[in-house]
Amino acid sequence: MQTACTDFGIIHTVEEGDTLYRLGKKYQVRVSSIIYANPFAGIYHLQPGDQICIPKVCDRF
């Protein structure tokens, strides 16, 4: 997962208080893009220390 992600995004290590909404705002990407980039992650149950892929900003028009 890390290798594939670094080709089109970055790895974010989840911290206490992180939500999909906050991550979307922080990285300026849509929540749906984060979900799509992490098909096997427990994206609705983020825990501190989890690593998820944040796609590069390519969905802003």
Side-chain angles (χ1 to χ4, degrees):
M1 162 89 176
Q2 274 189 320
T3 303
C5 181
T6 55
D7 290 343
F8 70 96
I10 63 166
I11 300 292
H12 173 84
T13 301
V14 175
E15 298 174 359
E16 187 71 35
D18 279 348
T19 65
L20 293 178
Y21 178 77
R22 285 185 183 173
L23 293 174
K25 288 290 189 187
K26 179 178 181 175
Y27 293 103
Q28 298 180 345
V29 297
R30 295 178 184 156
V31 170
S32 60
S33 296
I34 297 172
I35 294 170
Y36 184 78
N38 295 278
F40 301 111
I43 206 73
Y44 294 107
H45 303 288
L46 297 177
Q47 299 291 323
D50 288 350
Q51 292 187 326
I52 61 170
C53 182
I54 305 295
K56 289 181 182 173
V57 180
C58 60
D59 58 355
R60 292 188 307 168
F61 296 96

